Amino acid sequence: MAEVVITGLGPVAPNGVGKESFWNALKEGKSGIRRISRFDPDGSISRIAGEVPPEWVEAISPFPGTKRAWSTHMVITAAHLAMDDAGISKAEFSKSLSGIYVGISTNDMEFGEREYETFKHSGSTKANVISSSFPHAAASEIAGEFKCAGRVMTVSTACSSGILSIISGAESILRGENDLVLAGGGDAPLTPFVVSCFSSAGLHPTSYNDSPLMASRPFDAKRDGGVLSEGAGMIVIENSERARLRGAKVYARISGWGVANATSPLSVTLSFVSSITQALQKAKLPLNMLDYICAHAPGIKFTDKVETEAIKNVFGQYAYNLPVSSIKSMIGNPLSAAGPLQVITTALVIQNKFIPPTVNYEHPDPACDLDYVPNRGRVARVRNALINLLGVGGCIVSMVITEP
């Protein structure tokens, strides 16, 4: 029976670009949350975010300036990293039964806002504005660069878009439509307008302007919202037989997933329970065989609480034996990039037998009472792991990955 395996990892995150830099930062508990430099934040209600330093990206892939949106460039850089890590050339990808699936939560807001300002002053726009800023731009440009004439798709379900694109790619492999897929997602939402929108909605902290490294604090009683950030994550997945024949290094196997939709705040816990249960059942994994949960947990009071409730609902007393950590404590919430970066993290957890911490956990919340791997990572044998994502609007996705 066909299986789907992960063979290439491409992280672009506020605390590290490339597999080694990203993993080392996670192990060390290094945060990428800092004072905003992309624009002058003085006078803004919040002056912090998770920015990816442009020089880190340009060291791998030079930015072609105004011809390409920043979000698209990060996704393309992540795709190159994943392909290089998998040892697959552009020529091999092009001649294979390949596909591209990219999750995008928003249009590139900085690009759109900048071009709108130009339009207001001149009454005209550049010819490339539509092609560079529409949601399908990243997938389209990757397809052009890697000469993919097969299935090229964009998925948009807010923060769960990226992991849902990986599931879409995995399903296409299991159906025989593809045997090699680039999948993931990315977003670049850091503009004054968007940061203000997230802050006003209580989704971005306003209490830590003078201490940005302390701002992202999932499960902590003094959490004040998920820190908005940017980034991208792309992975190579392929049919396990294809990977075996080419002698590929396999990081992990995608063994199960579940998708549910919360129709109101009251149904979020039950929808989390549904997605987790679906994933475990599809993976045929007994509850006591799960070793780790890479949580959605952005640091929003309500969201962290209901995810904890769902974990306890599904696993019962065993929940207290499960290590649960949130990498968003170090990278913030990069929207569509969050899921792929969590998948990359969890694959590296399995490979390296080490669980990264939830940093900034200082004040226990009685409603969040599980083992959150506080502040220091730990050595652990992880064979089976669960990844959770919740998108604004209610799309909840869970995935189980297992050691190869």
Side-chain angles (χ1 to χ4, degrees):
M1 182 180 174
E3 293 183 330
V4 179
V5 294
I6 300 169
T7 58
L9 308 176
V12 174
N15 64 344
V17 173
K19 181 180 66 177
E20 287 78 15
S21 294
F22 179 59
W23 178 242
N24 286 336
L26 293 177
K27 284 196 304 180
E28 295 165 10
K30 180 181 176 184
S31 174
I33 310 304
R34 50 182 69 87
R35 178 182 168 86
I36 293 169
S37 64
R38 199 67 48 79
F39 58 88
D40 183 358
D42 287 340
S44 299
I45 188 171
S46 180
R47 298 188 289 276
I48 62 170
E51 290 183 341
V52 177
E55 61 270 21
W56 292 2
V57 177
E58 292 190 29
I60 297 162
S61 180
F63 184 48
T66 58
K67 293 182 180 180
R68 178 183 288 168
W70 177 237
S71 59
T72 295
H73 190 63
M74 287 193 292
V75 173
I76 289 175
T77 301
H80 278 288
L81 288 167
M83 291 279 281
D84 289 347
D85 188 47
I88 296 172
S89 67
K90 290 182 181 180
E92 181 181 352
F93 189 82
S94 177
K95 70 183 182 183
S96 300
L97 193 60
S98 57
I100 295 169
Y101 297 78
V102 178
I104 298 292
S105 184
T106 65
N107 289 7
D108 190 286
M109 299 301 291
E110 189 276 332
F111 188 94
E113 290 179 29
R114 184 181 70 236
E115 294 305 321
Y116 180 65
E117 287 300 314
T118 300
F119 169 74
K120 283 200 303 183
H121 289 94
S122 68
S124 63
T125 63
K126 297 184 180 72
N128 68 313
V129 169
I130 295 296
S131 62
S132 296
S133 63
F134 76 130
H136 193 53
S140 177
E141 287 204 39
I142 294 172
E145 189 146 338
F146 290 96
K147 303 293 186 291
C148 178
R151 292 172 176 263
V152 179
M153 299 185 182
T154 295
V155 176
S156 187
T157 56
C159 298
S160 54
S161 305
I163 196 167
L164 200 54
S165 78
I166 295 171
I167 290 172
S168 298
E171 290 175 334
S172 77
I173 290 173
L174 294 176
R175 290 192 299 263
E177 296 160 351
N178 296 121
D179 59 14
L180 175 63
V181 165
L182 260 173
D187 269 305
L190 302 182
T191 72
F193 176 69
V194 177
V195 170
S196 178
C197 287
F198 272 75
S199 299
S200 297
L203 302 175
H204 182 78
T206 58
S207 316
Y208 293 92
N209 286 328
D210 296 326
S211 51
L213 294 177
M214 307 299 292
S216 189
R217 40 200 320 116
F219 304 115
D220 186 85
K222 293 189 177 182
R223 62 192 184 277
D224 184 33
V227 177
L228 188 63
S229 65
E230 63 184 4
M234 295 293 288
I235 66 173
V236 173
I237 57 177
E238 53 189 304
N239 181 296
S240 56
E241 181 63 13
R242 184 190 191 283
R244 185 187 69 80
L245 289 173
R246 73 180 188 88
K249 175 180 178 177
V250 173
Y251 288 96
R253 177 168 56 90
I254 300 176
S255 54
W257 52 82
V259 181
N261 189 67
T263 57
S264 75
L266 295 175
S267 67
V268 175
T269 299
L270 289 179
S271 296
F272 255 127
V273 168
S274 175
S275 68
I276 293 170
T277 302
Q278 289 174 53
L280 293 169
Q281 289 177 346
K282 189 175 182 68
K284 296 182 173 59
L285 188 69
L287 298 182
N288 63 359
M289 293 296 288
L290 190 73
D291 303 309
Y292 168 61
I293 298 176
C294 187
H296 169 65
I300 297 169
K301 284 190 178 294
F302 171 78
T303 309
D304 296 2
K305 173 176 165 290
V306 295
E307 186 175 8
T308 297
E309 289 173 355
I311 292 168
K312 292 191 287 189
N313 189 310
V314 173
F315 293 96
Q317 196 62 31
Y318 183 64
Y320 292 94
N321 298 326
L322 269 172
V324 180
S325 71
S326 173
I327 66 167
K328 292 188 180 79
S329 62
M330 294 172 273
I331 67 169
N333 184 7
L335 306 183
S336 294
L341 290 172
Q342 287 177 236
V343 172
I344 290 168
T345 297
T346 309
L348 291 169
V349 166
I350 290 171
Q351 284 286 308
N352 293 286
K353 301 178 177 60
F354 187 88
I355 297 174
T358 303
V359 302
N360 298 325
Y361 185 82
E362 298 175 321
H363 309 282
D365 179 348
C368 299
D369 58 349
L370 299 178
D371 173 9
Y372 300 118
V373 195
N375 302 314
R376 297 183 68 136
R378 70 178 64 146
V379 174
R381 174 72 185 272
V382 175
R383 299 175 179 86
N384 304 291
L386 177 73
I387 301 153
N388 287 330
L389 268 298
L390 164 63
V392 172
C395 182
I396 298 175
V397 181
S398 299
M399 177 183 286
V400 173
I401 70 172
T402 64
E403 66 178 357

